[in-house]
Amino acid sequence: MNQEILAQYRQEVHQHLTEELLPFWENRCVDRTHGGFITHFDKDGNDSGEDEKSLIAQTRTVYTFSAAHRAGHGDGRYADIARHGVDFLLEKMWDAEHGGFYWLMNRRGEVLIDEKIAYGHSFVMYSLSEYTLATGDPRGLEYAQRTFDLLQKYATDTHYGGYFEMFHRDWTLKGPGAAGGDRKTLDVHMHFMEAFTTLYEASGQEIHRRKLLEIIELLVRKIMHPEYGTGIPQFWADWRVAPQIKFDIVWGWDRFSEDGFKSASEDNTSYGHNVEFAWLLMHALDVLGIAYDEYRDQLLKSYDHAVAYGIDWEYGGVYVEGSHAGEVYDREKEFWQQAEVLIGMLDAYRVYQDEKYLKAYDATHRFVFDHLIDHRVGEWKPLLTRQGESIWTHMSHSWKVNYHSVRAMVQSLIRLDKLIQRQAESV
């Protein structure tokens, strides 16, 4: 039975990726006039005219086309598109005076926000390392390493460990509160793990291996809940849990109250982040050559919490977030959590061979393909009700872009092929 089901999943994923999703971006995003990528599209896939190019959207689009090329898609076209994006990053967004990359520019490449945000620099390292792995162009690894070195110099907290995250242009730390200078987050440290993994894969350097091991231990020992193994969103500098607030430099379109605090601000966890963390940890362990069993307890807690509380077994898909103990707070369905759960549940099933993970994948897969994907346009809707009705309708802006949706399809294909091969060998 599983062989037929896996083959059906694969056919749907491959068709969507190659005939809808990648063509959506290939045909729209390349800015031939000013360089870089156009990243704002309305519900019909038309350029919405937003006059900005953000570090996060530019780097994520470089990653998308690099990873797609590396996975064998595009017949070389995607390497050219990735190179086009790298040219813009290095020529326009790199700060030659202070080092690092500006946070926000207009379409013409003029600086709008010159601050240095660690979240954005995690994707610099991730995307440029992936670009060199995909194309062999040494510029990607050179600037990924430069960025890594800057973060070790300016962002490392040598007292409590981990990294500070919000800086002015000259790398002086920003102030407290909404400025973010007194906070540390799961988000940045998880994405540093992701970035250091690909950086080490590209460089082979011992320092990159050592820092990857260091941040894995930090995530597991400090950032994941000591009892439930779920991600805690925000901390003070000394790793005491802090109320989750919205920063002046907003990461995404999370729903906060008017005072900038999230409801249940000290007891909330994201099912999508927990599963994303688990599969990224598995990938890091693959690159490091370390057995999954060394982190078995953490991995199972991450996956099992999402299966028990995050999967909507009635309508399909995965909820946004809830308490560490299990109560669901937000039953809406956001695009990126679905994407990460698709990858993670295939990994969990591949390694632990428990049918509950394949059932969780199926519940998410069907919701994505039946409700979340706008097959008329080719991309994913950003936010739906629990039942699958649209709340937000744009196809892309600086925070949505293509990284989660394309990566989910590329990585799902890789995992489905492994599972199908294993099934065939066992017959």
Side-chain angles (χ1 to χ4, degrees):
M1 179 184 70
N2 282 352
Q3 186 79 357
E4 291 181 14
I5 294 172
L6 292 171
Q8 179 186 338
Y9 295 150
R10 190 199 186 282
Q11 188 277 327
E12 287 185 281
V13 169
H14 184 268
Q15 187 273 335
H16 172 55
L17 175 66
T18 58
E19 298 181 25
E20 296 176 340
L21 192 53
L22 284 169
F24 176 95
W25 290 100
E26 180 181 0
N27 296 330
R28 288 171 172 81
C29 75
V30 179
D31 186 342
R32 303 290 182 190
T33 303
H34 300 295
F37 302 115
I38 296 166
T39 54
H40 290 69
F41 301 101
D42 67 17
K43 64 181 177 61
D44 298 312
N46 298 316
D47 180 357
S48 65
E50 194 75 25
D51 187 23
E52 68 175 50
K53 287 177 177 167
S54 69
L55 181 60
I56 194 68
Q58 299 301 307
T59 52
R60 283 178 165 183
T61 306
V62 167
Y63 170 83
T64 290
F65 284 104
S66 298
H69 173 71
R70 189 179 172 198
H73 303 287
D75 297 321
R77 301 189 311 277
Y78 298 154
D80 292 337
I81 294 173
R83 188 175 298 110
H84 173 87
V86 170
D87 290 344
F88 184 83
L89 279 172
L90 303 188
E91 293 167 12
K92 297 288 189 179
M93 301 198 83
W94 172 259
D95 181 350
E97 181 178 356
H98 295 287
F101 291 81
Y102 300 119
W103 179 249
L104 190 68
M105 317 196 87
N106 64 20
R107 287 201 183 192
R108 297 182 298 281
E110 298 162 340
V111 179
L112 300 178
I113 298 176
D114 64 9
E115 294 177 1
K116 305 294 166 59
I117 309 300
Y119 188 94
H121 285 78
S122 72
F123 282 94
V124 168
M125 292 183 289
Y126 187 43
S127 66
L128 292 181
S129 298
E130 182 73 22
Y131 170 71
T132 291
L133 285 165
T135 68
D137 186 339
R139 294 181 304 159
L141 181 56
E142 176 192 347
Y143 277 85
Q145 289 175 312
R146 283 197 194 186
T147 301
F148 172 88
D149 292 346
L150 285 164
L151 290 164
Q152 303 312 312
K153 180 178 181 179
Y154 293 115
T156 301
D157 181 348
T158 55
H159 186 63
Y160 292 111
Y163 296 86
F164 294 110
E165 303 180 7
M166 301 291 215
F167 301 89
H168 298 290
R169 181 189 172 191
D170 63 358
W171 290 99
T172 56
L173 191 62
K174 292 181 67 176
D182 60 349
R183 303 288 180 119
K184 293 171 183 170
T185 65
L186 160 66
D187 221 353
V188 161
H189 288 79
M190 183 182 73
H191 286 301
F192 273 14
M193 177 181 73
E194 169 187 66
F196 292 174
T197 299
T198 308
L199 177 58
Y200 174 59
E201 185 182 2
S203 76
Q205 289 191 17
E206 179 59 28
I207 184 61
H208 301 146
R209 178 185 177 88
R210 181 156 59 86
K211 288 296 180 180
L212 174 56
L213 287 165
E214 183 181 289
I215 206 159
I216 288 171
E217 284 298 301
L218 179 78
L219 282 156
V220 172
R221 310 299 171 206
K222 296 276 192 186
I223 295 178
M224 309 310 283
H225 194 285
E227 179 181 355
Y228 300 107
T230 44
I232 300 169
Q234 285 185 24
F235 299 83
W236 302 109
D238 62 2
W239 296 110
R240 288 176 298 128
V241 176
Q244 191 178 5
I245 63 169
K246 183 167 68 174
F247 298 129
D248 290 339
I249 301 295
V250 180
W251 301 344
W253 278 22
D254 289 333
R255 275 84 71 208
F256 288 83
S257 62
E258 290 184 7
D259 62 5
F261 282 83
K262 179 161 283 197
S263 59
S265 62
E266 293 191 54
D267 178 27
N268 67 88
T269 192
S270 163
Y271 309 109
H273 266 157
N274 295 335
V275 174
E276 183 179 16
F277 166 75
W279 82 256
L280 286 172
L281 174 57
M282 291 174 110
H283 177 57
L285 296 174
D286 288 339
V287 171
L288 289 164
I290 295 173
Y292 300 147
D293 280 351
E294 292 201 22
Y295 293 92
R296 177 185 174 88
D297 184 58
Q298 175 61 64
L299 290 166
L300 288 175
K301 283 182 176 180
S302 296
Y303 288 129
D304 289 350
H305 186 275
V307 171
Y309 305 111
I311 300 296
D312 184 345
W313 295 106
E314 182 177 358
Y315 292 102
V318 59
Y319 301 127
V320 170
E321 66 185 20
S323 73
H324 297 284
E327 181 186 353
V328 180
Y329 296 152
D330 188 340
R331 284 182 159 80
E332 292 173 347
K333 311 287 174 63
E334 197 168 6
F335 74 100
W336 70 263
Q337 289 96 338
Q338 318 306 313
E340 300 310 319
V341 167
L342 289 174
I343 304 170
M345 290 303 158
L346 287 177
D347 260 350
Y349 180 63
R350 174 179 64 87
V351 174
Y352 300 112
Q353 301 186 42
D354 189 323
E355 289 293 320
K356 70 183 180 184
Y357 299 127
L358 188 60
K359 290 177 181 176
Y361 174 83
D362 179 77
T364 311
H365 177 103
R366 284 270 52 89
F367 186 84
V368 167
F369 278 81
D370 295 344
H371 299 285
L372 193 66
I373 297 170
D374 187 333
H375 294 283
R376 172 185 61 92
V377 178
E379 241 291 347
W380 297 22
K381 302 168 188 175
L383 184 69
L384 306 180
T385 65
R386 180 187 179 192
Q387 293 79 10
E389 298 299 318
S390 290
I391 298 172
W392 297 339
T393 59
H394 55 273
M395 288 295 110
S396 176
H397 57 47
S398 280
W399 285 100
K400 183 171 178 291
V401 228
N402 41 49
Y403 149 76
H404 287 287
S405 56
V406 175
R407 186 173 71 169
M409 296 297 96
V410 169
Q411 294 300 320
S412 291
L413 268 183
I414 292 169
R415 285 153 179 78
L416 286 165
D417 283 340
K418 288 179 180 178
L419 288 167
I420 289 168
Q421 181 179 353
R422 187 171 73 191
Q423 289 273 346
E425 291 171 352
S426 67
V427 174

